[in-house]
Amino acid sequence: MKKMLLFVCAVLACFSLHAQYFCTVEGTELHYVNYDEAGQSVSNETATVSFVGRNDGKVTACYINKIVTNKLKNNTSYTRFDWSYDGNQTVCAEDLVYGPYIDSDSDPDKYDTAARTAMREELKYKGDNSFVLKEHAEGGESMPNRSYALIVKMLKNEITISGAAYMGEEQISTTAGKFDCIKITYLKRTKVVLKSTTHRVTEWYAEGIGLVKSESYDMKGKPAGKTLLVKIVK
């Protein structure tokens, strides 16, 4: 009996050490507030866990994010995040063509691989914007560079992520609770036609949740914006 209890405890301990950085409870809502460089609220964002599954031994989930921007007439937009976990690391990719697909008055229920491929071709999407979160990564460990480009409102946007690294673990407190997070930082360079801007971005991710906090600064160290998880509804 004692051996059995020890075995069960060991199994539970191993399970607790391996958890993905996203929610796997369908219908859960993660509520965020987005702030501008002056610390003023500019939009409210709700990420809804719309689908959870298993594919090729990986746990997968889809977040549909609804963004409501303050003081705008047509103030609602959408984006989508696809998550997966293979038992060792979490992969996240924002589906940058989902928003334009919805804006085209297309049926969300008909958004599938074929629709995504067609939309990517229309927006001339190239590159890879997915990123990996390793469990218990050491502070200072580097992350791969990545770049991608697409046409937004008839303008070519080119985004480059470089100098990314893990910064260890840190506890973050918000109105949604206290979260033990993995912290990452990177440089994000955005080029629209001939104009380029570069920001230093720092993000905090919690196991079983996803993004908890994000801050960005310009290259002079001035705030450029912030996103904060404020409520979780299950």
Side-chain angles (χ1 to χ4, degrees), residues 19 54 60 90-92 105 119 163 173 190 201 232:
R54 184 175 290 275
T60 61
T90 296
V91 178
C92 177
D105 293 327
M119 208 64 203
S173 296
T190 303
V201 181
I232 301 173

Side-chain angles (χ1 to χ4, degrees), residues 82-193:
D82 292 309
W83 300 82
S84 68
Y85 174 69
D86 65 1
N88 180 49
Q89 60 186 22
T90 296
V91 178
C92 177
E94 182 178 3
D95 188 342
L96 296 169
V97 305
Y98 181 79
Y101 174 85
I102 299 299
D103 290 343
S104 67
D105 293 327
S106 299
D107 186 352
D109 292 334
K110 294 182 179 179
Y111 186 73
D112 54 15
T113 301
R116 177 188 288 135
T117 300
M119 208 64 203
R120 283 192 172 204
E121 292 177 355
E122 181 178 334
L123 299 178
K124 301 186 185 305
Y125 179 91
K126 295 181 179 179
D128 179 16
N129 70 327
S130 64
F131 65 95
V132 174
L133 294 174
K134 294 181 180 179
E135 295 181 30
H136 313 296
E138 296 292 333
E141 183 178 344
S142 63
M143 304 171 71
N145 295 338
R146 61 188 190 274
S147 62
Y148 49 97
L150 72 164
I151 304 296
V152 179
K153 296 180 180 179
M154 301 182 69
L155 299 175
K156 185 176 182 179
N157 285 241
E158 300 174 84
I159 297 90
T160 302
I161 305 297
S162 62
Y166 295 97
M167 302 298 288
E169 298 179 352
E170 185 175 331
Q171 187 175 84
I172 297 295
S173 296
T174 77
T175 55
K178 291 183 179 180
F179 305 93
D180 293 322
C181 299
I182 189 169
K183 181 180 179 181
I184 65 172
T185 185
Y186 56 86
L187 289 176
K188 181 177 182 180
R189 178 177 178 267
T190 303
K191 181 181 179 183
V192 182
V193 190

